[in-house]
């Protein structure tokens, strides 16, 4: 199934902080890692003077189904992250200005682009929405746009024609050229760029609806496969990002969140007659749990293992979640 429907991912091994092991001579040898791991309390202390600009009501409205996001989590984790992203965006503007001066030209300012990746049901959509709101409260980045890769899925009719409807959410189910062209146009400073609109109710692209992006200060692109590397020497979407985030958790935890989210959707969105998943609304709970677990094992776990999890090490920053959905530590790529 596709992004935004019952699916998930499965981190088994993780990027981590330097660890030590005994050598033949009894000395501790550090294993190389591109990340430094920062515990939650230490991370929260990095921006103690930055106030929380959101109300509790706004936070409740932003969190996704199954998320336990609260004001403490936002203040401890996401306010410092928004400050770090603000510093990176300012650095990018300064570099752009210096480069323009070096070239003797006045090139127009281009958006700072952030990629957010990770499993379905891990909470990356909530992270992306929350960062959009926090970053838009900084004085120098008032215009922040969020686009999900769902809009670049091939329409269901095309997936059926190709025989890959059961692989919706896998890389081949996306119009990757269209997505790359869209972000390239935004990144180049185009006045207006349009993207397709995906309906989670109909589980398909809406032919008469669009998402319009007009020269944002920051563009956030959220999706399963946004960190995939280039192939055959071609430009990849990830080449266009200025900063990337991977939302991480243990496989067993994500699977549990996925199943619980399916049960919640079954009692909510699936009850709508126009919902693509309406046929699942009358399942009893044991049947629904079994069905959700089957979807996880046959579709989402393979997609995670083959395509999503291998991209985690390419992120600038990894948010590591515990079983209760709370971020327990942050892994930041060393500069």
């Amino acid at each position: 199934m596709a992004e935004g429907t019952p699916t998930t991912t499965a981190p088994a091994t993780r990027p981590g902080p330097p660890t030590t092991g005994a050598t033949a001579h009894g000395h501790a040898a550090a294993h190389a890692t591109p990340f430094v791991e920062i515990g939650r309390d230490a991370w929260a202390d990095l921006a103690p003077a930055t106030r929380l600009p959101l109300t509790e009501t706004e936070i409740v409205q932003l969190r996704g189904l199954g998320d336990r996001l609260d004001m403490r989590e936002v203040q401890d984790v996401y306010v410092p992250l928004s400050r770090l992203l603000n510093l990176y965006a300012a650095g990018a503007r300064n570099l752009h200005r210096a480069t323009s001066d070096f070239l003797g030209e006045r090139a127009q300012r281009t958006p700072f682009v952030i990629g957010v990746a990770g499993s379905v049901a891990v909470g990356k959509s909530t992270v992306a929405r929350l960062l959009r709101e926090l970053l838009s409260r900084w004085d120098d980045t008032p215009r922040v746009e969020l686009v999900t890769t769902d809009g670049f899925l091939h329409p269901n009719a095309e997936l059926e024609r190709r025989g890959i409807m059961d692989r919706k959410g896998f890389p081949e189910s996306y119009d990757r050229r269209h997505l790359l062209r869209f972000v390239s146009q935004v990144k180049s400073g185009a006045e207006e760029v349009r993207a397709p609109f995906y309906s989670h109710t109909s589980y398909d692209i809406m032919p008469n609806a669009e998402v319009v992006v007009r020269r944002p200060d920051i563009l956030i692109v959220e999706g399963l496969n946004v960190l995939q590397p280039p192939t055959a020497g071609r430009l990849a979407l990830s080449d266009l990002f200025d900063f990337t985030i991977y939302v991480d958790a243990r496989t067993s935890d994500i699977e549990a969140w996925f199943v619980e989210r399916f049960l919640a959707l079954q009692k909510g969105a699936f009850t709508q007659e126009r919902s693509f998943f309406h046929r699942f609304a009358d399942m009893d709970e044991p049947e629904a749990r079994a069905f959700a677990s089957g979807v996880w094992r046959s579709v989402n776990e393979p997609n995670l293992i083959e395509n999503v999890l291998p991209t985690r090490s390419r992120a600038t920053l990894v948010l590591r979640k515990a079983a209760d959905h709370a971020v327990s530590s942050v892994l930041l790529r060393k500069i």
Side-chain angles (χ1 to χ4, degrees):
M1 292 188 180
E3 182 93 73
T5 64
T7 46
T8 189
T9 50
T13 59
R14 303 175 173 215
T19 57
T20 60
T23 67
H25 301 288
H27 299 296
H31 298 293
T33 171
F35 295 94
V36 57
E37 183 168 23
I38 306 168
R40 175 166 169 153
D41 290 342
W43 177 259
D45 289 341
L46 296 177
T50 305
R51 69 177 185 84
L52 174 60
L54 301 176
T55 66
E56 188 167 4
T57 298
E58 288 173 314
I59 292 171
V60 169
Q61 291 171 340
L62 287 168
R63 68 188 177 202
L65 199 60
D67 269 340
R68 296 175 178 83
L69 187 70
D70 57 24
M71 295 189 75
R72 172 77 179 275
E73 178 91 349
V74 176
Q75 183 66 63
D76 285 356
V77 177
Y78 297 101
V79 169
L81 178 54
S82 77
R83 176 56 180 150
L84 179 66
L85 289 168
N86 177 261
L87 292 172
Y88 268 77
R93 287 195 302 273
N94 292 336
L95 179 60
H96 174 79
R97 189 179 304 115
T99 304
S100 295
D101 290 342
F102 174 76
L103 296 173
E105 60 183 31
R106 241 337 129 194
Q108 66 178 353
R109 174 176 162 182
T110 59
F112 186 82
V113 183
I114 300 169
V116 179
S119 168
V120 174
V122 79
K124 69 182 179 304
S125 297
T126 297
V127 171
R129 289 193 299 269
L130 181 57
L131 288 177
R132 176 186 59 192
E133 295 304 315
L134 290 172
L135 291 169
S136 68
R137 310 299 170 100
W138 290 94
D139 292 340
D140 49 355
T141 56
R143 294 178 58 83
V144 182
E145 298 280 3
L146 169 61
V147 173
T148 71
T149 58
D150 287 348
F152 296 90
L153 284 160
H154 288 296
N156 287 353
E158 177 63 16
L159 295 176
E160 294 281 10
R161 187 187 71 79
R162 298 186 184 195
I164 57 172
M165 187 66 179
D166 61 344
R167 291 179 66 83
K168 198 169 185 178
F170 282 69
E172 64 268 27
S173 66
Y174 293 89
D175 187 342
R176 286 175 281 184
R177 289 184 181 179
H178 190 180
L179 176 57
L180 181 62
R181 185 166 61 249
F182 169 82
V183 178
S184 295
Q185 290 174 339
V186 176
K187 184 75 172 175
S188 69
E191 287 290 336
E192 181 177 282
V193 189
R194 296 174 180 270
F197 178 80
Y198 184 84
S199 168
H200 292 286
T201 301
S202 64
Y203 192 56
D204 204 355
I205 300 296
M206 301 299 290
N208 299 315
E210 293 179 311
V211 175
V212 182
V213 174
R214 298 182 175 89
R215 296 196 65 187
D217 300 305
I218 293 177
L219 173 69
I220 301 172
V221 182
E222 177 256 309
L224 285 169
N225 302 299
V226 298
L227 296 185
Q228 285 198 315
T231 57
R234 297 181 178 179
L235 183 70
L237 178 65
S238 56
D239 292 326
L240 302 176
F241 295 145
D242 298 291
F243 195 101
T244 53
I245 298 167
Y246 187 98
V247 186
D248 189 28
R250 293 187 182 280
T251 306
S252 56
D253 292 335
I254 304 174
E255 181 178 3
W257 300 338
F258 166 71
V259 172
E260 292 305 317
R261 192 175 77 168
F262 182 88
L263 295 176
L265 287 168
Q266 187 197 21
K267 297 179 178 66
F270 294 177
T271 61
Q272 301 176 37
E273 289 189 9
R274 58 195 180 94
S275 170
F276 181 87
F277 300 100
H278 181 63
R279 61 188 180 277
F280 303 133
D282 293 331
M283 287 181 174
D284 59 29
E285 184 170 324
E287 185 181 9
R289 285 186 179 276
F291 178 81
S293 295
V295 171
W296 160 254
R297 295 191 185 99
S298 63
V299 179
N300 303 297
E301 187 174 33
N303 192 21
L304 166 71
I305 293 171
E306 296 169 20
N307 303 303
V308 182
L309 183 58
T311 70
R312 181 184 53 197
S313 62
R314 306 186 74 241
T316 313
L317 180 141
V318 178
L319 293 173
R320 181 172 287 174
K321 285 190 167 189
D324 62 355
H325 251 297
V327 172
S328 56
S329 64
V330 176
L331 286 83
L332 181 63
R333 184 172 291 276
K334 299 171 185 177
I335 298 175

